[in-house]
Amino acid sequence: MTDDTSKQFTNDPQELLTSKQEADKQKTQFSSFVRSVSEDAPAEKGQVVEPQHRETDQQNNMKDVENRMLE
């Protein structure tokens, strides 16, 4: 990684674009690394993760019934 403290702040659009592209490239590389070491990470941004199979929560069900009665 680079040390950003040595860089001067700039308002030059081209330098900002280059900096953003470098940051995006680092994020992509990091995401690829994380996916390679993680078993259940989504492959792409925005990918829908299937819900885990869980027993329904009785307290939530009771609250749903209560809310329906109040409507």
Side-chain angles (χ1 to χ4, degrees):
M1 295 220 179
T2 60
D3 185 11
D4 292 336
T5 58
S6 64
K7 294 182 180 179
Q8 294 287 332
F9 291 109
T10 181
N11 286 333
D12 180 23
Q14 191 61 39
E15 288 182 32
L16 291 172
L17 178 61
T18 303
S19 176
K20 181 184 181 308
Q21 289 171 341
E22 287 176 17
D24 288 344
K25 182 179 177 183
Q26 288 178 352
K27 288 178 186 178
T28 301
Q29 290 173 343
F30 180 74
S31 296
S32 296
F33 168 75
V34 169
R35 280 193 300 274
S36 72
V37 297
S38 177
E39 295 176 2
D40 55 4
E44 293 294 327
K45 184 177 180 180
Q47 179 179 356
V48 177
V49 178
E50 293 186 26
Q52 296 179 358
H53 301 289
R54 299 184 191 174
E55 295 292 323
T56 56
D57 184 13
Q58 185 177 4
Q59 184 175 3
N60 285 340
N61 287 338
M62 291 169 48
K63 191 66 177 177
D64 287 342
V65 170
E66 180 183 346
N67 287 337
R68 279 186 241 127
M69 290 171 54
L70 295 174
E71 289 178 349

